[in-house]
Amino acid sequence: MSYDEKTIAARLEAELPGWTYAHDYIRRVYVTKKWGSTLALANAIGWLAEAAQHHPDLLLTYGSLELRLQTHDAGGVTEKDFALAKKIEEIASWRGEER
């Protein structure tokens, strides 16, 4: 079952800052420094999505990646989308140990 807009907005604010909701998708744009970084992030997201049996929409440019998540067979955003978004945030924002 998909969530209503009010629930999605509240969860994004509490759990996924930087994400937005529009046109039945939760979305995030990641700014990268160059094509190699964009491609590496897309590959990591693809691996996580495949493991979760989920199929996000990705838009790649030289210096950015736009990610859109929706559970297509549910016709909207579900728990499956939030779970994958959180996993993606873990890898996309990881910077390793500061030196």
Side-chain angles (χ1 to χ4, degrees):
M1 181 168 90
S2 60
Y3 293 127
D4 62 48
E5 260 186 81
K6 186 176 179 181
T7 302
I8 293 167
R11 289 201 58 190
L12 289 177
E13 184 177 346
E15 301 169 31
L16 293 164
W19 287 71
T20 59
Y21 175 74
H23 307 290
D24 298 323
Y25 289 86
I26 57 173
R27 301 163 176 246
R28 173 77 194 252
V29 174
Y30 294 99
V31 176
T32 59
K33 294 183 183 209
K34 56 187 176 182
W35 174 246
S37 301
T38 303
L39 192 56
L41 180 57
N43 285 326
I45 290 169
W47 186 87
L48 289 172
E50 191 63 25
Q53 297 180 4
H54 206 339
H55 305 99
D57 294 343
L58 301 172
L59 175 63
L60 304 161
T61 66
Y62 177 83
S64 69
L65 180 149
E66 181 180 345
L67 170 65
R68 300 176 196 155
L69 290 173
Q70 175 196 83
T71 303
H72 301 290
D73 59 356
V77 177
T78 68
E79 187 57 38
K80 188 174 184 176
D81 302 297
F82 279 96
L84 182 56
K86 288 175 187 176
K87 288 288 185 193
I88 291 168
E89 278 296 296
E90 286 177 21
I91 62 138
S93 62
W94 184 70
R95 297 290 182 250
E97 190 175 313
E98 293 292 326
R99 296 178 194 252

